[in-house]
Amino acid sequence: MEGELKEVREAYESGKTRSLSWRLSQLKALLRLLYDKEDDIFKALEQDLGKHRAEAYRDEACGSSDQVRQLRNRQSAEMDDSKQGYPPVLISVSVPLVAFPSRADIVPEPLGVVLIFSSWNFPIGLSLEPLIGAISAGNGIIIKPSELAPESAEFLARSVSKYLDDKLVKVITGGPDAGQKLLDHKWDKIFFTGNPRVGRIVMAAAAKHLTPVSLELGGKCPAIMDSLTNARDRKIAVRRIIGGKWVACSGQACIGVDYILVEEKFAPILIDMLKATIKKFYPEFDTLSKIINKHHFQRLASLIKDPSVADTIVHGGSMDSDKLFIEPTILLDPPLDAEIMTEEIFGPLLPVITVKKIEDSIDFIRTRPKPLAIYAFTQDEKLKNRLVSETSSGSLTFNDTMLQYCLLLLLCAVPVCYRHLTIWRSWSKWIWTVSWQVLFRHVQSQEISDEEELPVGVFFQIPAMGWLETSLHALCFPLRLCLSSSPFVGSEAMIVSRIDELK
């Protein structure tokens, strides 16, 4: 390990990573890896997590390749190779009058050698996506995959060195001991995806060297379900909630829906719709991922074996310890002091919590730790404005779930600091990204016909929008994504995504 880390540091200090040609060559090689080794990716994810090929393609391989193409295009547009990789247009800032006629510019630059800890629920995607950003920013990189997904970790160790520059990009496998040894060294940036317990260890180790850290941790992400008057709105909202809960790794996703807040009078209608849609989406459950290992299976099983919680199960609850499978399970008003409501679930269990008025959901959220994401299904503009102004979360999405995922990764993965960044999706961008929207959402909404052809890499029929309907949806009801990082110290950025019409 010592020799490999030294090799990466020396290669970075040679200045090789600053050239545009090196960055583009590495992005091109990574894209070729994703194409050439697609079957190997599918096999590794199937063995580690029981992911179907369609899920593996949608959530890991496709997202990574799409991000490579976006950043590769951005690199070509913004960088000038004749200037050794520096941007031709600097970021100008104002200077005081006393400094006239001087000028000041902000020059983005790579941070150095970065360490990436990836998680087990998306072991390929959450290894490659921060890697893509780190390469684009011109860093040297060490990747430490999760030992809980051994086949995926072995695939990365075997493949990355064959396709990428093995002096500047390395994969180090092993368990907690290997991770601790890596943390004993000085890094220029650490990117960690995982649980808060390990996050504290990473933060404490980084503090010894004043190393900047990006922590991507979990949290309890609520979905607020208003009493929508239109039957079609209700139907689509229920399908998107199911997509945000069970479609991605069987609920083992940090921005997945953790619980639902709904008015008492609407709860029976919602539960009946959830039951019917689950049966329609998953008649055999053969496309759902398994629980990662015995430890996490027992943790989830213990949540619903608590007698006070078991009595609240209104759908599902069956388990198979041999196959590490838990049926999609719905609970109605479990005790708020039970572990299922105080800890992140990270599995296929969905509590439904009732409130007197839907506005009470705001106080319910505010009295608990800040969620990573909030999803609100409503057409009430007053409620929307109150959620924006009175709640705080990593992201707030109206009338959809998990749609912020691709933008969050694209913005957060690049370890280059910008003071202010605002993004608006234009009509032209919507047209260009329709194919991605189709693939990202094809498990969340309308029925798929027997004759419909799915994208390359999707090999079985699953609930989806039709191609024409999805294209019209993406074009006619644009999503506004805005990230505005305040220049004031102590302020936080929040992504707010809106689909103002459900239909």
Side-chain angles (χ1 to χ4, degrees), residues 291-493:
I291 308 305
I292 182 65
N293 56 28
K294 287 280 188 182
H295 170 73
H296 283 277
F297 180 90
Q298 293 298 333
R299 177 185 64 82
L300 290 167
S302 67
L303 294 180
I304 55 177
K305 285 182 178 178
D306 180 343
S308 63
V309 174
D311 292 339
T312 66
I313 295 175
V314 294
H315 177 80
S318 64
M319 296 175 283
D320 188 331
S321 59
D322 294 329
K323 295 182 179 180
L324 297 179
F325 175 78
I326 297 177
E327 180 185 4
T329 301
I330 302 172
L331 307 96
L332 178 60
D333 282 326
L336 297 181
D337 58 352
E339 189 176 356
I340 197 170
M341 287 306 300
T342 58
E343 300 293 334
E344 183 181 15
I345 295 173
F346 220 69
L349 314 178
L350 179 61
V352 176
I353 306 299
T354 59
V355 292
K356 296 292 184 181
K357 300 183 298 181
I358 198 63
E359 290 80 8
D360 295 341
S361 60
I362 295 175
D363 290 334
F364 188 95
I365 292 171
R366 292 180 62 180
T367 57
R368 284 158 176 77
K370 183 187 297 186
L372 188 60
I374 298 174
Y375 305 108
F377 290 85
T378 180
Q379 301 292 19
D380 186 339
E381 292 299 323
K382 183 179 179 181
L383 179 60
K384 289 180 183 180
N385 292 332
R386 286 193 62 190
L387 285 167
V388 171
S389 61
E390 297 180 28
T391 66
S392 180
S393 57
S395 65
L396 171 59
T397 300
F398 292 111
N399 298 325
D400 214 322
T401 58
M402 302 182 74
L403 204 58
Q404 77 278 25
Y405 172 72
C406 51
L407 181 65
L408 282 167
L409 283 174
L410 183 63
L411 295 178
C412 297
V414 183
V416 174
C417 294
Y418 290 92
R419 185 176 67 90
H420 187 87
L421 175 63
T422 302
I423 290 182
W424 293 88
R425 283 212 170 184
S426 64
W427 281 99
S428 61
K429 284 292 184 183
W430 270 98
I431 296 172
W432 186 81
T433 57
V434 165
S435 59
W436 164 246
Q437 294 295 333
V438 172
L439 188 62
F440 185 74
R441 295 169 46 87
H442 74 275
V443 291
Q444 292 192 28
S445 294
Q446 309 298 328
E447 297 86 359
I448 182 169
S449 65
D450 293 338
E451 298 79 21
E452 185 172 354
E453 181 181 353
L454 292 176
V456 175
V458 180
F459 300 104
F460 75 115
Q461 295 179 12
I462 45 185
M465 275 188 175
W467 286 102
L468 178 60
E469 185 175 1
T470 303
S471 300
L472 291 174
H473 175 87
L475 291 172
C476 296
F477 303 105
L479 166 70
R480 187 184 76 183
L481 293 174
C482 174
L483 172 65
S484 183
S485 181
S486 171
F488 298 105
V489 175
S491 297
E492 297 185 40

Side-chain angles (χ1 to χ4, degrees), residues 269-302:
I269 299 172
L270 173 62
I271 290 172
D272 288 341
M273 293 183 70
L274 286 169
K275 290 179 182 179
T277 308
I278 289 172
K279 290 177 181 178
K280 187 174 184 179
F281 274 26
Y282 310 113
E284 302 294 338
F285 299 121
D286 56 347
T287 59
L288 285 172
S289 302
K290 67 180 182 180
I291 308 305
I292 182 65
N293 56 28
K294 287 280 188 182
H295 170 73
H296 283 277
F297 180 90
Q298 293 298 333
R299 177 185 64 82
L300 290 167
S302 67

Side-chain angles (χ1 to χ4, degrees), residues 94-154:
S94 60
V95 295
L97 185 61
V98 70
F100 181 83
S102 62
R103 73 177 227 186
D105 298 312
I106 295 176
V107 183
E109 62 179 16
L111 291 177
V113 179
V114 303
L115 173 62
I116 297 171
F117 284 104
S118 64
S119 64
W120 52 260
N121 54 339
F122 300 97
I124 304 295
L126 290 181
S127 295
L128 297 185
E129 283 163 345
L131 169 65
I132 294 163
I135 288 174
S136 299
N139 297 285
I141 305 108
I142 297 290
I143 303 173
K144 168 60 176 70
S146 172
E147 69 278 5
L148 299 183
E151 295 299 326
S152 298
E154 179 58 31

Side-chain angles (χ1 to χ4, degrees), residues 228-283:
L228 301 169
T229 56
N230 186 286
R232 179 170 171 78
D233 287 354
R234 292 180 180 181
K235 184 178 180 181
I236 293 176
V238 166
R239 293 182 173 191
R240 291 177 179 173
I241 288 174
I242 289 175
K245 177 60 181 179
W246 289 288
V247 163
C249 202
S250 197
Q252 299 170 106
C254 59
I255 60 170
V257 175
D258 193 273
Y259 63 94
I260 302 176
L261 291 167
V262 64
E263 289 184 350
E264 289 180 355
K265 62 183 180 181
F266 187 60
I269 299 172
L270 173 62
I271 290 172
D272 288 341
M273 293 183 70
L274 286 169
K275 290 179 182 179
T277 308
I278 289 172
K279 290 177 181 178
K280 187 174 184 179
F281 274 26
Y282 310 113

Side-chain angles (χ1 to χ4, degrees), residues 211-222:
T211 301
V213 180
S214 291
L215 296 178
E216 201 287 288
L217 307 177
K220 295 187 73 64
C221 303

